Structure formats: C-alpha cells, structure tokens
Amino acid sequence: MDIRNFVIDHVDRFLEYLKQNPLRMYSRRTVDAYLAAYALAYALGETVHVDVADWPPREGVCVGFKCQGMYITEWEIGVDGKIYRTEFSSISQLAAHIITSLLPLEEEIYRALFVGHYAWSVDYCDYKCQLPRELSRGDERLSIVFPFMGELPIERALPLSTLPIIPGVTGRVFDSLPGDAVRVLDWVLGVVASEGFHTAVLDKAIRYYSPDIKAPDVAERLEADLANFIGKEIDVYVSNLAETFYTVIKRAREGVVAVQNPFYIQKLPPYISHYMKLVNWVALRYDASGGHLIALIPPHGQRAQLKGAAAIFAELGQVLEYPTHLLVYVEAGKYAEFLQAYEKVGK
C-alpha cells in the first residue's frame, strides 16, 4: 500500500483529528517538524495552535514524535494504532503526501514545506538527498548554497552558516577570505579537516535550491526562533550555537554533556557525528519536564550499532532513530538505568 492509499483508507480518522476546533498540535523543536505542523494546520485545520514541545505528550496530534492519536515521524505515520512505515524522509515530505492526498498544495503551504524539507535535508540527510516530486516546481537547481550568501560578503556569510554548520568557520570572525570561490572552498575544506572533522560534512551544502524561496535564509532565521532567540540578530543565535558546539566537542570524552538549550539537542548530533576524533559514544542531555531528552552519537565508524542500541534504550522511553544518532526520551526516574545502558553500549 502506498502512502496516498493509506491516507485515503483512514481519511475519516485523519480529518477527525485535524478538524478539531480548536486543534492543538505538538511539534518537535525542529524547522522540519514545525513547518510540517504549520502546513497541516493551515491546509486542513480550522482554529489551530501549534505547541513546540520538548517532551512528547501522551496523546493528541504530534509532529516529530510518537503519541496516541495521530503522529508523524521521519519513519512513519500513525493514526489510532494504524501505522504506515516509510523510508527515512523529511516530515515535511510526509505532510505533503497527506495534504495532496486530499487537496492541492496552496502556494504558502508549498513554500513552508519546501523550507522544512530543505532544513531536514541539510541536517539529517547524507546520501540520496533528492528533492521529492511533491515539492518540486522545476526552478530548483543543485547548488553549493550557504545562508545569506546573496546579501552579505562571503567573509561574513560563511561564519553565520548553520545550514550547514561549518566546523572551524561557523561562529568565528574573519577579516577576509582567500581569492575566488574555488580558493575559498579549498580553504574551508582545510579548516574543517584541521578541526578534526570529516570533510564530507561540507557535502551538506550541496542541495536543491530555489532562488525564489531562499530556503537557507528562511530556515536559519526560524532556527533562531526555535532556539529562543526571537527578535534578536542572527549573529547572536549563531554565536551561542557555535559556542555550545565547540564546547561539546572539547568535552566529548566526558561521555554525557549537559546542554541548556533544547534546540541544540536536535541540531548538533548530525555534525558531531562527523568528528573523526570521537572514539566513544557521546551523549547530549537536556532536562525536560517529563524526564531527560538525550541524543546519543556513536563514532563515525560505529553507526551500524545504532539499531541494536535503540532496542536497548527503548525500555527507558521513546526512541527516535536517525542515520547518525539516537534521540531518547528517558522517563523521569529512569536516569540511573540509562547510565547503566549507556555504559553497556559504549563498551
């Protein structure tokens, strides 16, 4: 069964959830999840409030994590216990499938989903990062793209990039950069390598780009909002994120590193996974209302262990699996058990 038939077969259940008036939706703290929730609300809802949540509610309409009721994650869509499993995809792409199974995409909804998918593809996708047919309008081109390149000189734009994060460049200050674009890229590759990162992290900058939408700029400004830098200059957000990123890298040997901003638990792991000097698993922990939100990142060459580790941590709470890391919602009172499991996985 394809996704369209799944939606149509259960359309009464989807609409029962999405047509609640008022409707309260819960979004994981990512650009992809938030814009997918916004698109679903705008397309199919009536009076809607989207809550950005750092802990999955028990039930409701959830975008980015599982709950009883209706939910969407990067791996599946669920409604009242009926589940459609898919290949690893952006939530925005899956939301586009749901919407277009019922009605055409309006322009504003399309643009939101394009930006959400773009942000996901940069952070979470390393291979086969094609633009899905549902979100293609024909003007997109595969390009090397960084945020704000169209409005700032390159020596200012590159240090502001968080899509992708450029190790050794993001958050730093440079008076000038060497020569033309080719020489700059060679220089950036050298900086990334000298910081101890696999230069494949820069492949994240090669994505399908629409000059009409300017997804990198829009997505990074939304990142700043999700990181609670609402109304502040973008460099304030970038400086704080970069400081946290470099601090985590320095403290990676400690095993579990506390992080104060919940957005960084979502944002940083795919980049930390490219750190070639990482020899053991590292965990980022944020203390949330219902327990501990923890990202678990194996060394670059040990990603094959993720599935086995996910089964171990599933006893402690909800686990979301990604190609580079795990996101574990460790329920209150189970942190000691988590540390035991973490020690076991790290051996």
Side-chain angles (χ1 to χ4, degrees):
M1 178 185 295
D2 64 19
I3 188 170
R4 178 181 175 85
N5 287 332
F6 176 80
V7 173
I8 292 173
D9 284 354
H10 302 288
V11 65
D12 56 333
R13 306 304 304 142
F14 281 108
L15 291 180
E16 183 170 334
Y17 283 108
L18 294 172
K19 291 294 185 181
Q20 295 176 68
N21 192 10
L23 167 63
R24 195 177 197 93
M25 301 179 74
Y26 300 92
S27 164
R28 201 169 85 235
R29 195 179 289 274
T30 68
V31 172
D32 178 32
Y34 182 79
L35 289 177
Y38 163 83
L40 286 165
Y42 190 91
L44 300 170
E46 295 181 20
T47 305
V48 184
H49 181 76
V50 177
D51 272 348
V52 177
D54 297 311
W55 193 261
R58 185 164 184 171
E59 59 185 7
V61 179
C62 299
V63 182
F65 29 56
K66 301 176 185 178
C67 65
Q68 296 176 23
M70 174 187 163
Y71 69 84
I72 310 174
T73 71
E74 289 91 342
W75 292 102
E76 62 189 51
I77 300 171
V79 59
D80 287 343
K82 305 295 184 182
I83 299 173
Y84 180 86
R85 293 184 173 86
T86 180
E87 294 182 352
F88 187 58
S89 309
S90 73
I91 299 171
S92 293
Q93 180 181 353
L94 298 179
H97 276 299
I98 293 174
I99 296 168
T100 55
S101 296
L102 303 173
L103 71 171
L105 284 182
E106 295 182 14
E107 180 65 18
E108 186 173 353
I109 298 171
Y110 156 73
R111 296 172 78 92
L113 292 173
F114 186 96
V115 173
H117 177 81
Y118 182 90
W120 170 87
S121 73
V122 174
D123 285 345
Y124 290 102
C125 183
D126 286 337
Y127 307 104
K128 297 181 180 179
C129 306
Q130 299 295 319
L131 183 65
R133 178 175 51 83
E134 299 79 16
L135 298 177
S136 176
R137 291 285 176 89
D139 70 334
E140 308 87 2
R141 296 292 180 268
L142 192 62
S143 309
I144 299 175
V145 186
F146 298 95
F148 313 119
M149 290 290 286
E151 59 184 77
L152 294 174
I154 193 168
E155 64 268 16
R156 289 190 58 201
L158 286 182
L160 288 176
S161 177
T162 65
L163 285 163
I165 293 172
I166 311 172
V169 176
T170 297
R172 303 281 168 83
V173 177
F174 303 96
D175 293 330
S176 63
L177 296 181
D180 58 20
V182 173
R183 291 180 62 192
V184 168
L185 287 175
D186 284 344
W187 173 80
V188 170
L189 284 167
V191 172
V192 169
S194 69
E195 292 284 320
F197 284 79
H198 198 299
T199 54
V201 72
L202 280 181
D203 291 346
K204 291 175 172 292
I206 305 172
R207 290 296 180 266
Y208 284 91
Y209 174 72
S210 168
D212 177 51
I213 297 177
K214 297 183 179 178
D217 303 28
V218 176
E220 184 162 335
R221 293 189 189 282
L222 184 52
E223 281 189 354
D225 289 348
L226 292 170
N228 291 318
F229 290 91
I230 299 170
K232 296 186 178 180
E233 295 295 328
I234 197 69
D235 61 335
V236 177
Y237 156 62
V238 175
S239 176
N240 187 269
L241 177 141
E243 181 182 359
T244 303
F245 176 65
Y246 297 126
T247 297
V248 168
I249 294 302
K250 290 178 182 177
R251 297 178 57 193
R253 293 179 182 275
E254 297 179 16
V256 180
V257 182
V259 174
Q260 303 303 315
N261 192 315
F263 177 70
Y264 300 160
I265 299 289
Q266 311 285 346
K267 176 70 180 178
L268 297 181
Y271 297 94
I272 294 170
S273 74
H274 283 80
Y275 186 52
M276 301 307 292
K277 296 180 181 180
L278 195 64
V279 294
N280 294 310
W281 287 61
V282 61
L284 309 186
R285 189 193 79 224
Y286 174 76
D287 298 329
S289 58
H292 309 279
L293 173 56
I294 300 178
L296 291 153
I297 310 148
H300 191 273
Q302 297 182 28
R303 293 178 182 177
Q305 298 179 17
L306 283 166
K307 190 166 291 295
I312 294 173
F313 290 109
E315 300 179 5
L316 307 178
Q318 185 174 153
V319 178
L320 298 175
E321 184 179 345
Y322 300 93
T324 56
H325 65 286
L326 302 175
L327 195 61
V328 185
Y329 294 88
V330 178
E331 298 170 2
K334 294 187 177 181
Y335 188 67
E337 296 174 55
F338 162 77
L339 291 176
Q340 293 174 356
Y342 178 60
E343 184 178 356
K344 179 180 178 182
V345 166
K347 289 182 177 179

